[in-house]
Amino acid sequence: QVQLRESGGGLVQAGGSLRLSCAASGFVAGINAMGWYRQTPGKQREVVATITTLGSIPTYTDSVKGRFTISRDNAKNTVYLQMNSLKPEDTAVYYCNALRTAVDNYWGQGTQVTVSS
């Protein structure tokens, strides 16, 4: 089992910044990637950014490219999401994910990000 503990959400004005953190613990061996997803009421959870364990290769959904940066500290089993130039449409519950395979992955409890206009 893998436990994911998220932190860093909150309320910010449009144009502001937040940094989310996700610390993984437990049986973390074999985790191939970690990522951030977000969900708003009535909508499906969508991927925001992911980063591989080997090579720290990032991917981003188009709407956050140039504004968000995902990074990781393998020694701390922690992944970060630096969010700059936040927009009201970034408001959502953000979830951390740790992936071994498509059928063996884990979710954090979620952290609320609210961007006011």
Side-chain angles (χ1 to χ4, degrees):
Q1 284 285 352
V2 175
Q3 294 79 44
L4 301 174
R5 180 168 55 88
E6 300 141 334
S7 61
L11 172 65
V12 65
Q13 288 187 331
S17 299
L18 284 174
R19 188 174 87 150
L20 305 183
S21 299
C22 174
S25 61
F27 185 61
V28 298
I31 295 296
N32 290 306
M34 293 183 72
W36 290 95
Y37 292 67
R38 63 189 180 187
Q39 189 170 22
T40 54
K43 293 188 176 181
Q44 283 191 327
R45 193 171 296 186
E46 64 169 358
V47 62
V48 176
T50 64
I51 188 166
T52 60
T53 299
L54 293 179
S56 295
I57 299 169
T59 63
Y60 300 94
T61 193
D62 285 346
S63 62
V64 307
K65 286 180 180 177
R67 300 188 298 122
F68 290 11
T69 301
I70 190 170
S71 62
R72 65 185 301 152
D73 183 334
N74 287 338
K76 296 181 179 180
N77 293 316
T78 299
V79 64
Y80 306 96
L81 185 67
Q82 177 66 42
M83 305 185 292
N84 299 328
S85 302
L86 282 160
K87 304 175 181 180
E89 50 264 43
D90 295 317
T91 295
V93 178
Y94 283 70
Y95 295 91
C96 179
N97 176 268
L99 177 78
R100 283 197 188 91
T101 69
V103 296
D104 183 12
N105 67 100
Y106 303 87
W107 294 94
Q109 79 285 357
T111 185
Q112 177 70 47
V113 171
T114 302
V115 184
S116 64
S117 57

